[in-house]
Amino acid sequence: MVVEIPAKTIHIEHATCRQGCDLMAPDVKIHGHPSIKVIAEHEGQRGPLYLDPIYGSFDHVTDLDIPEDAVVQFFCPTCGESLTAEGDTCNSCTAPFFLLKLPRGSVVEGCLRKGCHKHRLKIVDLNAQLLRLFGKDSLESYL
Ligand SMILES: [Zn+2]
Ligand SMILES: [Zn+2]
């Protein structure tokens, strides 16, 4: 089930890689919230990149020099596994998506092309129905 949630109404408090490693970085805050740390790679450059935990915001912090429109790769900083979503590509620019696991089987995906702001949240849970009815406050406690 894919739930359409307006951008910037919620922030992600818990995200992991597919192996379950915690990706939250409380030491690096973006917009006042702990960011999501990944290792980004682009044409031989490799280093930490901190994603804005606000869903739908593409602000991020990194020392890497990534040109606009470049497609990057994300890896888990702990186990090194690729965060690329298998079999899913961006329907606006065809680049791969990255995938972050959220609690209770939900995932958030985003486009790996810098400057493309395609993203979606998939809630794999019956509660999604309730969330749709009750709005963002219940979703915030859910995440
Ligand atoms: Zn990991
Ligand atoms: Zn895209």
Side-chain angles (χ1 to χ4, degrees), residues 1-133:
M1 175 186 307
V2 177
V3 181
E4 297 293 331
I5 291 165
K8 305 186 185 180
T9 53
I10 57 166
H11 76 271
I12 294 164
E13 289 179 15
H14 303 285
T16 68
C17 82
R18 269 172 287 210
Q19 304 297 329
C21 312
D22 187 6
L23 298 174
M24 303 312 291
D27 48 324
V28 179
K29 291 193 166 65
I30 301 180
H31 296 143
H33 300 295
S35 62
I36 299 164
K37 182 183 182 182
V38 301
I39 298 298
E41 192 173 290
H42 171 66
E43 290 185 354
Q45 298 181 81
R46 191 179 169 96
L49 184 145
Y50 300 89
L51 295 165
D52 190 339
I54 308 239
Y55 176 71
S57 167
F58 279 71
D59 292 338
H60 59 269
V61 174
T62 185
D63 290 334
L64 299 177
D65 182 20
I66 301 168
E68 209 62 20
D69 293 332
V71 176
V72 297
Q73 284 184 283
F74 285 170
F75 298 91
C76 172
T78 305
C79 73
E81 189 181 85
S82 169
L83 300 177
T84 302
E86 281 163 27
D88 252 347
T89 52
C90 179
N91 56 9
S92 47
C93 79
T94 73
F97 271 142
F98 65 87
L99 180 152
L100 306 175
K101 287 187 75 173
L102 304 179
R104 304 186 216 185
S106 300
V107 300
V108 61
E109 293 179 324
C111 182
L112 282 164
R113 187 185 303 276
K114 187 175 177 183
C116 177
H117 291 174
K118 204 79 193 172
H119 59 272
R120 63 184 166 205
L121 185 63
K122 288 184 187 170
I123 295 193
V124 188
D125 196 301
L126 284 176
N127 283 333
Q129 296 285 358
L130 300 173
L131 296 171
R132 230 196 307 234
L133 292 174

